[in-house]
Amino acid sequence: MKKSILTVIGAINIVCAGCNSYVGDTHVPQPTPQPVATQSPIHIKNQTAEDSFSIESAVNTKLRLKIIYGASEKSFSQKVAERLTNTVLLEKAELTLLDPCDAVVLLTPEFELFDCDGGYYRVKCKQVTVQIKSAQKLYASKTVEPDSLPRKLGLSNAKNQYVNPVVNALSAYLGQKLQEISNNDIAVTEMRFALKNHRQYADTTAIAKQVERISNILRSMPGIVNYTNIAQHTSQAAVTFRIVYLKDKYPQGLVNAINVKLEVK
């Protein structure tokens, strides 16, 4: 009988946008929103020269999903995770074992020991469940039940012989689902914000205040999973953010929504 999987609740560092280590943990990052098509510079109306911005570009980038697993079957799960990160190659998303990440793929294997004779173990992999999730949403879930395999010398060998069957059963599924999620649910974009009158901002403190203002706006907007200041151009009073957000929250486009927020004093 299949065991239910514990709901994983995520926490995202809003300023640094990344996930902490999840091995043996139950924390999951927030969900990921949708990318914005590359757009021409957008000029903000009704603003003073002091804080008038242009959004010069919006470049779509890949969604990052980290594979996490519990400590009970760490060795087996790590082997499966490493194989999946090498076999599931996607245009709009990527599997990783490293931080930072935008959402998680949770692996939960279950084994049953039938007998042991002279160091030879007969083990059944009852099931392996994979979930794609964030703090706000479960995007997909699948359970595979590999066929029983013969006894092996050593308990780890008896378990690890199931790595290939599990990877083969999950690769196509993950590829399909992650492609659907990156197309329909979650978007990632890089946006460069530049002060139009940057020559008046030789004072780095003044520039920092404008960067902080953009950060506060992003933090307040619904459906933004995380954002990261990935580049700051002091001489041009410009900053580039990587932004992860939910597509359905911004049907008119994220650039337009941010533009409206920037207009409000």
Side-chain angles (χ1 to χ4, degrees), residues 60-117:
N60 296 334
T61 59
K62 282 191 174 184
L63 176 66
R64 293 188 295 232
L65 299 106
K66 180 180 179 181
I67 301 183
I68 65 173
Y69 40 84
S72 59
E73 298 294 346
K74 180 178 177 180
S75 178
F76 174 83
S77 298
Q78 186 171 14
K79 288 179 172 59
V80 172
E82 289 171 349
R83 288 281 307 281
L84 288 173
T85 58
N86 291 328
T87 58
V88 181
L89 303 177
L90 302 170
E91 180 183 353
K92 296 182 180 179
E94 63 182 357
L95 284 172
T96 177
L97 299 178
L98 305 173
D99 293 322
C101 64
D102 305 317
V104 299
V105 175
L106 175 63
L107 281 176
T108 309
E110 295 181 30
F111 287 93
E112 182 177 353
L113 175 63
F114 280 98
D115 62 61
C116 173
D117 184 10

Side-chain angles (χ1 to χ4, degrees), residues 195 197-208 233-237:
L195 280 165
N197 62 326
H198 64 83
R199 289 181 179 83
Q200 299 179 27
Y201 276 78
D203 183 355
T204 56
T205 302
I207 296 172
H233 320 281
T234 304
S235 63
Q236 301 172 9

